[in-house]
Amino acid sequence: MPKAVIDMNDRRPVWAIPGWAVDEIRSAFPSDWDVVVVDGHADGQGDGRGTSPDAVRAARGAEVYLGLGIPRELFLAATASGELRWMHTASAGVAGALFPEMVESAVVLTNSAGIHAEPIADTVMAMVLHFARGLDFMVRAQAERRWDKATFDAPGVPVRELASSTLGILGLGGIGRAVARRAVALGMRVVATRRSGTEGPDGVEVVTGDDALGRMLDRSDFVAVCVPQTAETEGLIGAAELARMGKGAVLVNVSRGAVVDEEALTVALKTGKLRGAGLDVFAEEPLPAASELWGLPNVLVSPHVSGTSHDFWRRQTDLVTANVRRWLAGQPLLNTVDKTAGY
C-alpha cells in the first residue's frame, strides 16, 4: 500500500493546517493509499526549522511527503527504504531543503511559490505608502503626543504621490508580479529586472542587458526586493547598488535577509542617502537586540510576517490537491523546484 504523509501542524496557530484542509488533501488520494497525518508540531518559519520524532517515524516508507519545510534528518529517514519520490514544502523558499543529498537525489521537490504572493504584495505596498505619505513621522509624533504639522509644512518634506513615482521590482516571480499589479493600478511607473525573459505584466517595463540592475536602481524612487535566495542573489544589493539608488529612495525587502548587505544598508540609512527601508527579512532572525536597525527612525521592522493571511490554507490546499491529482495521473507537477538553480 503506497503511503503519503501530511506533516503540516505548525506550532503557530495561524499557520497550523485546519481540519477541513486535512480532509480535502486526504480525499485527493485513492482509498488504497495509507495517508498518515502527523499530530506532532512542525515549524514552518522561514524555509522550515527542524522536525519532530513523530514526523521522522511517519516519513519512513512514504512515497509522498507534504510538509512545512524539508529537514535533512527527515529526508534521510524517508529515503532510507527507497520509496520516497515526491516531497512538497509549504514554504516559498527552499534554501534550507537544498542539502547535497536532496540535490543529488531523484526525489521531485515542489514548493509553494506564489501562494504567499497576495499578502506579501499587500505588505510591500503598505511599506511604500508608509514612507511615501510620511506615516513614519505621524507614528513617531503620536507616540510623543506631538501635533507635528511642522514636518509636513517644511519645504523639503520627503512625501510624494505614488502616481509621480517609479517602483523598481527586483524579481518578477509570483510576488513581484503581484506587487506590479498593485503598483500599476495605483498609477506608478514600474520597472523590473528578471532572470529570464523580456516580457512583463501589462504596464511593467522589464530592464534587460548589461547592468540591468543598476539601470533599474538609477530610475527608482522605491525598490522592492522579491528574488529568491540563491547563490547568485546572496549579497546582490550591496554598497555599490545602494549608491546607485537616488537620494531619498526607499528600499523594501520581502525576499531573504542574505540578499541585502545589512551593514551597507545601515550606512545608507544613517547618512540620509536613503529615505527609508521597510524590512520583513533579516540576515539573522530574530533580529538581534544589538542591531542598529532597531533604533533608526527611517526603518520599518517587520518580524518576517508579510505572508500572514487567513486565506493561506485555501490557496495551499488547492495547490496540494491539484498536484496530488497530477501525481496520480503521471503528469508534471506545479511549482516543481529546479534544485540546481535553487528555486
Side-chain angles (χ1 to χ4, degrees), residues 16-332:
I17 187 169
W20 62 262
V22 172
D23 292 342
E24 288 190 22
I25 295 171
R26 190 197 299 270
S27 296
F29 287 95
S31 59
D32 61 348
W33 276 66
D34 179 21
V35 180
V36 178
V37 180
V38 178
D39 292 326
H41 283 139
D43 189 342
Q45 295 184 79
D47 299 336
R49 298 181 181 178
T51 187
S52 69
D54 289 348
V56 173
R57 284 192 295 271
R60 295 191 179 104
E63 177 179 327
V64 174
Y65 171 82
L66 310 170
L68 298 170
I70 309 295
R72 180 173 178 270
E73 176 189 358
L74 186 144
F75 175 84
L76 295 178
T79 53
S81 58
E83 286 90 352
L84 186 69
R85 296 174 59 201
W86 167 34
M87 301 189 91
H88 173 78
T89 172
S91 66
V94 293
L98 296 179
F99 36 82
E101 294 90 346
M102 168 64 85
V103 174
E104 294 164 6
S105 76
V107 173
V108 176
L109 175 63
T110 59
N111 70 350
S112 294
I115 296 298
H116 300 274
E118 297 304 313
I120 292 178
D122 288 347
T123 299
V124 170
M125 298 312 300
M127 288 179 167
V128 167
L129 284 162
H130 177 83
F131 291 106
R133 302 308 305 159
L135 270 65
D136 53 334
F137 302 131
M138 299 176 196
V139 170
R140 194 155 57 248
Q142 180 179 351
E144 299 170 359
R145 297 177 178 267
R146 280 188 298 112
W147 185 259
D148 183 22
K149 285 180 63 67
T151 294
F152 292 86
D153 291 339
V157 60
V159 297
R160 61 173 71 236
E161 297 180 23
L162 295 190
S164 61
S165 303
T166 298
L167 173 66
I169 300 176
L170 179 55
L172 268 180
I175 295 171
R177 290 194 299 271
V179 172
R181 288 196 304 272
R182 288 158 172 77
V184 170
L186 289 168
M188 300 185 80
R189 294 182 296 275
V190 181
V191 295
T193 63
R194 66 186 311 175
R195 186 173 183 272
S196 60
T198 59
E199 297 298 320
D202 290 345
V204 178
E205 176 188 350
V206 177
V207 183
T208 60
D210 294 339
D211 196 30
L213 173 57
R215 289 186 289 116
M216 182 269 281
L217 295 173
D218 289 342
R219 297 171 54 186
S220 300
D221 302 301
F222 301 89
V223 174
V225 182
C226 304
V227 291
Q229 180 183 337
T230 67
E232 294 180 353
T233 63
E234 289 183 8
L236 186 60
I237 302 296
E241 289 72 29
L242 293 168
R244 294 287 293 266
M245 296 175 65
K247 183 174 174 59
V250 172
L251 181 78
V252 175
N253 188 10
V254 291
S255 169
R256 286 292 186 267
V259 175
V260 176
D261 181 334
E262 283 183 8
E263 183 176 347
L265 176 61
T266 300
V267 171
L269 290 162
K270 290 173 66 175
T271 60
K273 163 66 175 175
L274 296 185
R275 158 75 174 95
L279 306 174
D280 184 56
V281 288
F282 302 88
E284 181 180 347
E285 296 181 4
L287 182 65
S291 172
E292 289 187 88
L293 293 171
W294 283 113
L296 295 181
N298 53 349
V299 174
L300 179 59
V301 172
S302 167
H304 204 153
V305 294
S306 64
T308 301
S309 169
H310 291 289
D311 296 326
F312 166 79
W313 278 109
R314 179 68 273 160
R315 291 191 293 269
Q316 182 73 241
T317 303
D318 289 345
L319 171 63
V320 171
T321 54
N323 265 348
V324 169
R325 290 190 290 269
R326 285 170 172 262
W327 180 257
L328 297 170
Q331 298 172 344

